[in-house]
């Protein structure tokens, strides 16, 4: 029977960050991944913010297969018949070190796995963890591919629907409110065409987020990121919102309709779809976080619910990388003390609380409830689009002054509702 210092279930960002850190500190680490290779099954919109995690993995960034550094931000309020775009381009986004990059997980995860292996981690692919082994109320290993594999600690990094932490009795499946489903295509385009269409130079990149008709008014939004030689395009829809809408909405049809929109179609024209993927995202925030540790086990990344949608940013990757790193630090402490019970492993939560990870989650704990207000998705894009349409309209007769034009849209009832929305927005 094999015994390792640490077994990690899942070679996503959380698992590989933990493996890289642990192996780098001399521990014997086994990573088990059900996919054909790391990244084969992993989906992200595609934007990684490096600043919070730069110092945790200092040796990695120079060689990391990042796509483009983002210098153009855009938010598009997409209504049925019109849209309003807000763009941002700041010189600080061009300055090194760059704040954020587009990435492709199939490339990035594979490369990160190689770095972990170079440090000494052992990676087995096409092996699914099916069960955990529990003895005297402590997790002492896993069953995978018919084998019994033992370790001092198991780290569950098996993603959003974490079977491993569920089998360990740590996680209970959450409510549909706490999840969204994402659909994504990677569309190949010539780099020169990308640069022309998005007003970019060299390896600069653009990031666009869309709300409103991107999801036909359902809770969620659309995204577009430019990669070196492709575009990542997709929609994310709240699971509860899909359920409430009954059988009518068809998520793949929503992505198709999004691609046909006049704001999108010219940007992807002539492109070839290379990849199509669907994946669930934890979006419940702080109040929906699962347990982070138990006797002989730690939980990191999406498996613990560590992804955060705050409207203007959707982040999960740096929380996955950071939680993997802090899980490894907790194991190193436990290993020095030769004690892997939950009291010792509780230091992991403390590390996360002292870092940006749980500080962000606490800061934005009201955000999921506030963003759940349907008016943000199905009312404001129409309202703002309507206002802009009227402002730009030149009728056959005389044109109204600006103030009466605005008052047509901002009625007293509307302003009263907006005050209530503003009160909610003040919580985030
Ligand atoms: C459509 C979409 C858009 C997103 N956009 C962004 C974005 O732009 N920026 C951002 O930061 N985040 C984004 N996210 C969130 C981000 O992708 C996740 O938070 C991140 O991938 C979590 O990493 P992880 O390592 O925890 O999990 P994963 O990347 O899901 O890795 C889990 C790994 O475990 C493996 N596995 C699962 N079960 C088992 C098992 N039983 N045995 C062995 N292996 C197993 C899987 O194959 C996988 O390799 C997005 C997510 C989606 C779906």
């Amino acid at each position: 029977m094999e015994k390792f210092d640490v077994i990690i279930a899942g070679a996503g960002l959380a698992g590989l960050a933990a493996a890289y850190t642990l192996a780098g500190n001399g521990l014997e680490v086994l990573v088990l991944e059900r996919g054909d290779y790391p990244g084969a099954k992993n989906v992200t919109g595609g934007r990684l913010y490096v600043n919070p995690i730069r110092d945790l993995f200092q040796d990695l960034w120079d060689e990391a297969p990042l796509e483009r550094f983002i210098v153009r931000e855009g938010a598009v309020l997409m209504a049925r018949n019109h849209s309003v775009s807000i763009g941002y381009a700041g010189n600080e986004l061009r300055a090194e070190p760059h704040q954020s990059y587009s990435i492709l997980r199939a490339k990035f995860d594979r490369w990160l796995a190689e770095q972990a292996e170079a440090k000494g981690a052992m990676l087995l692919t096409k092996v699914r963890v099916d069960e955990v082994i529990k003895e005297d109320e402590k997790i002492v290993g896993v069953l995978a591919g018919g084998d019994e594999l033992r370790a001092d600690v198991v780290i569950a990094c098996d993603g959003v629907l974490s079977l491993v932490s569920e089998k360990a009795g740590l996680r209970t499946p959450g409510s549909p409110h706490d999840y969204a489903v994402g659909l994504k295509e990677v569309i190949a385009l010539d780099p020169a065409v990308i640069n022309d269409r998005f007003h970019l130079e060299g390896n600069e990149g653009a990031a666009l987020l869309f709300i409103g008709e991107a999801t036909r008014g359902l809770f969620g939004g659309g995204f577009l990121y430019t990669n070196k030689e492709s575009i990542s395009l997709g929609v994310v829809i709240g699971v509860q919102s899909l359920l409430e809408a009954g059988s009518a909405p068809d998520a793949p049809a929503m992505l198709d309709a999004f691609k046909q929109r006049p704001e999108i179609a010219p940007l992807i024209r002539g492109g070839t779809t290379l990849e199509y993927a669907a994946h669930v995202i934890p979006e419940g925030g702080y109040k929906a976080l699962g347990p982070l540790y138990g006797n002989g086990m730690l939980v990191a990344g999406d498996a613990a619910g560590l992804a955060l949608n705050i409207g203007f940013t959707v982040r999960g990757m740096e929380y996955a990388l950071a939680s993997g790193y802090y899980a490894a630090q907790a194991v190193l402490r436990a290993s020095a003390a030769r004690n892997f019970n939950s009291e010792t492993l509780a230091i992991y939560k403390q590390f996360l609380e002292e870092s940006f990870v749980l500080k962000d989650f606490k800061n934005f704990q009201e955000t999921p409830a506030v963003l759940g207000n349907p008016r943000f998705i199905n009312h404001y894009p129409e309202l703002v689009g309507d206002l802009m349409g009227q402002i730009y309209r030149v009728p056959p007769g005389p044109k109204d002054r600006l103030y009466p034009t605005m008052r047509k849209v901002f009625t007293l009832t509307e302003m009263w509702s907006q005050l209530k929305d503003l009160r909610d927005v003040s919580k985030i």
Side-chain angles (χ1 to χ4, degrees):
M1 193 186 310
E2 296 282 355
K3 165 104 195 290
F4 297 85
D5 293 328
V6 186
I7 290 176
I8 297 172
L13 297 181
L16 293 171
Y20 176 81
T21 311
L22 286 164
N25 281 279
L27 265 62
E28 205 165 273
V29 184
L30 174 66
V31 186
L32 300 171
E33 166 57 45
R34 68 177 174 174
D36 290 351
Y37 57 88
K41 287 183 177 281
N42 300 344
V43 183
T44 194
R47 182 171 188 178
L48 179 71
Y49 292 87
V50 181
N51 284 346
I53 48 172
R54 199 181 303 279
D55 290 347
L56 305 185
F57 308 99
Q58 287 177 8
D59 303 337
L60 289 182
W61 303 116
D62 285 347
E63 302 295 326
L66 303 165
E67 293 289 311
R68 290 172 179 254
F69 56 93
I70 305 299
V71 299
R72 286 188 177 276
E73 308 272 4
V76 181
L77 302 179
M78 195 176 254
R80 272 185 292 276
N81 298 312
H82 33 221
S83 64
V84 178
S85 306
I86 304 161
Y88 177 75
N91 283 342
E92 80 286 356
L93 297 177
R94 290 195 173 81
E96 292 199 45
H98 301 301
Q99 164 172 280
S100 78
Y101 292 83
S102 51
I103 72 167
L104 290 167
R105 293 289 298 275
K107 265 195 220 170
F108 188 87
D109 290 20
R110 231 171 175 170
W111 172 84
L112 188 55
E114 283 164 18
Q115 309 313 304
E117 285 182 299
K119 294 274 180 196
M122 188 190 292
L123 168 71
L124 293 181
T125 54
K126 301 183 199 168
V127 179
R128 196 182 67 195
V129 176
D130 297 312
E131 202 36 277
V132 296
I133 307 170
K134 227 177 197 179
E135 281 173 6
D136 302 327
E137 295 306 306
K138 181 182 178 296
I139 306 300
V140 293
V142 298
L143 294 178
D147 289 326
E148 191 174 312
L149 301 160
R150 290 186 172 242
D152 291 329
V153 191
V154 174
I155 312 182
C157 300
D158 52 335
V160 55
L161 301 175
S162 181
L163 175 88
V164 175
S165 62
E166 202 176 315
K167 294 270 183 187
L170 288 180
R171 174 183 178 272
T172 45
S175 120
H177 284 105
D178 301 333
Y179 299 99
V181 61
L183 299 160
K184 176 188 169 187
E185 282 189 26
V186 177
I187 300 168
L189 269 182
D190 188 88
V193 173
I194 295 177
N195 286 2
D196 279 354
R197 288 185 185 172
F198 293 88
H199 312 294
L200 303 167
E201 304 261 353
N203 208 32
E204 293 174 350
L208 302 174
L209 293 178
F210 303 80
I211 59 163
E213 274 297 292
T215 50
R216 302 228 176 110
L218 297 187
F219 176 69
F223 60 85
L224 184 157
Y225 301 113
T226 57
N227 304 310
K228 280 195 168 106
E229 299 178 348
S230 63
I231 283 175
S232 294
L233 180 77
V235 291
V236 173
I237 312 143
V239 171
Q240 179 65 26
S241 189
L242 271 174
L243 292 176
E244 280 167 6
S247 57
D250 165 358
M254 229 176 254
L255 178 55
D256 282 341
F258 181 52
K259 286 169 63 185
Q260 311 289 328
R261 288 280 310 200
E263 299 84 354
I264 301 291
L267 299 175
I268 57 171
R269 185 171 298 137
T272 314
T273 299
L274 299 175
E275 265 179 58
Y276 182 90
H279 207 276
V280 177
I281 315 172
E283 287 208 336
Y286 187 67
K287 293 176 184 171
L289 286 183
L292 296 162
Y293 59 89
N295 257 345
M297 178 170 275
L298 294 168
V299 190
D302 274 11
L306 289 169
L308 195 57
N309 174 1
I310 59 166
F312 279 90
T313 58
V314 179
R315 296 169 57 195
M317 290 192 283
E318 57 272 17
Y319 297 126
L321 286 161
S323 59
Y325 170 87
Y326 287 115
Q329 295 299 332
V331 172
L332 291 170
R333 283 275 185 106
S335 188
R338 295 305 308 154
N339 183 334
F340 301 93
N341 64 21
S342 57
E343 286 75 30
T344 315
L345 293 176
I347 189 83
Y348 170 51
K349 187 169 183 207
Q350 189 186 321
F351 287 151
L352 292 178
E353 277 170 342
E354 288 165 359
S355 76
F356 75 98
V357 177
L358 286 186
K359 285 186 179 151
D360 278 358
F361 275 76
K362 280 185 191 163
N363 271 344
F364 292 99
Q365 58 183 298
E366 301 303 333
T367 309
V370 173
L371 292 183
N373 177 347
R375 283 170 54 86
F376 291 128
I377 311 288
N378 58 31
H379 178 66
Y380 285 109
E382 294 290 344
L383 183 92
V384 179
D386 198 18
L387 174 67
M388 297 309 283
Q390 298 211 29
I391 287 176
Y392 282 113
R393 182 164 177 267
V394 177
K399 184 167 167 58
D400 266 351
R401 287 188 302 116
L402 188 60
Y403 185 70
T405 306
M406 289 173 71
R407 282 305 310 271
K408 264 193 230 156
V409 176
F410 292 108
T411 60
L412 281 180
T413 324
E414 173 58 34
M415 285 197 280
W416 177 241
S417 303
Q418 286 182 10
L419 275 178
K420 287 198 272 181
D421 291 342
L422 200 60
R423 192 186 52 199
D424 285 347
V425 168
S426 68
K427 295 182 195 154
I428 60 178

